[in-house]
Each structure stands twice: as structure tokens, then as C-alpha cells.
Amino acid sequence: MFENKSKYPLNKLKVGFTFKLFKQKWTITEIAEYSWNTGNMSVEYTIENTDKKAFLEVEFYKGKFEVIYSEALTLNNINLDLIIEDGYLIFENKKYNLEETFSGSYRNMTTFTSTENLISYQFYLKDNCISVEKWDDGSIESFIGEEIKPKKITNINTL
């Protein structure tokens, strides 16, 4: 019902493809794959337009596409152990609850980096999500985003 009607499946797009999202034209600049220990795989597109860089994570799950749009987020002085223990994260005076934790591996398919392992902690407030990723080297990255319906991605074009 909410499938994108393009001839290009959302999990099979390529670097250089363009599409419309949020009334803006985006270009895919990098592609990465996540292999989750749940047995699922997802594709992450680094997307750019004239104003910003963002990420689109696409997973084909139970016959449907699940799509998360996100942007990098700086969480200064985050105590990851504490927010995991508490089960929530306060951001801009809003409480995001820890709902999912996934471990897996990541590989950039554009630059062919070596595989890296991570644990991803997903904090939700309705359809909004803050993802905090802890990498094997101890570094932490965070992103804020929202789940979107696949039909919001339109006008997919090749180079």
C-alpha cells in the first residue's frame, strides 16, 4: 500500500541516482550496508542536496520497505552507559525512550572499507528516533531522524 512505485527498488539504488524527498532533490553520494545480528540487512544511502548531507536507511522487512531519514547529531558529553541503564535520553527537553538495541557490522560499499562492528541503540519519541552507535574502536556517533513512508521518495532517476 505504501510502496514506492518506481522501477527501482529502494534497497537497490546506486551512487549518482537522484530523487525527490521533502520537496527537495537529493543525490546519493555513498552506499553502505549493515548486517544485523537479527539476520536482517539494511542499506544506508548518504544523500546530499545543495543545503545539507543526510542519511536514508532502507530495510526490506516482512515484504515492506522500512525507511528512516536521519541527520548527524552532536550529543556533547554523552554518558552512554547511563542512558542505557536509565532506558531513556533527554534531548531538547524531550524524553526519547530506548526501545531497540541491535548489534551488527557495517561496510561502506562505495569506498570498500573493511567491515566494522557496532552496537546501535534506538531511542524513540513517536516516529522520531535518535540512534546512538557505539563502534568497536570506542567511538560514538549519533543521528536524529524519523521513519518515513516509502511513497515520499519520488522521481528516482539514474545519472
Side-chain angles (χ1 to χ4, degrees):
M1 177 161 115
F2 292 112
E3 290 301 308
N4 180 293
K5 300 297 183 201
S6 168
K7 61 184 172 180
Y8 303 106
L10 291 180
N11 58 344
K12 303 287 184 195
L13 304 179
K14 307 286 182 206
V15 169
F17 277 32
T18 61
F19 59 87
K20 286 274 203 138
L21 177 63
F22 306 131
K23 298 180 182 178
Q24 298 178 35
K25 182 178 178 181
W26 296 87
T27 301
I28 296 172
T29 58
E30 285 189 346
I31 300 172
E33 289 182 347
Y34 289 90
S35 177
W36 302 108
N37 290 346
T38 59
N40 295 341
M41 301 268 308
S42 61
V43 176
E44 179 183 73
Y45 301 107
T46 302
I47 58 176
E48 296 184 31
N49 65 25
T50 56
D51 296 326
K52 65 175 111 176
K53 176 180 176 178
F55 304 92
L56 201 62
E57 186 170 354
V58 177
E59 183 176 345
F60 192 68
Y61 181 69
K62 293 186 178 180
K64 294 191 294 186
F65 286 109
E66 293 181 359
V67 182
I68 302 281
Y69 168 87
S70 64
E71 298 176 6
L73 173 68
T74 302
L75 294 173
N76 294 323
N77 303 319
I78 186 172
N79 183 332
L80 186 57
D81 293 333
L82 182 60
I83 62 173
I84 292 167
E85 182 180 315
D86 290 345
Y88 66 90
L89 167 72
I90 302 292
F91 177 71
E92 293 183 342
N93 295 319
K94 295 177 185 159
K95 184 178 178 181
Y96 290 76
N97 292 306
L98 177 60
E99 293 185 14
E100 300 174 306
T101 301
F102 301 103
S103 59
S105 61
Y106 164 92
R107 182 155 187 224
N108 185 312
M109 302 307 288
T110 305
T111 60
F112 298 104
T113 59
S114 60
T115 300
E116 300 175 64
N117 295 314
L118 75 148
I119 300 174
S120 180
Y121 302 93
Q122 306 293 310
F123 297 84
Y124 287 92
L125 175 63
K126 298 181 184 173
D127 285 338
N128 297 313
C129 177
I130 294 178
S131 174
V132 180
E133 297 174 349
K134 183 174 183 180
W135 298 86
D136 266 355
D137 67 2
S139 64
I140 295 175
E141 293 180 318
S142 51
F143 304 88
I144 189 163
E146 63 181 302
E147 188 168 345
I148 62 170
K149 296 193 181 323
K151 69 179 182 178
K152 288 189 177 265
I153 300 168
T154 61
N155 299 343
I156 298 173
N157 291 300
T158 62
L159 292 172

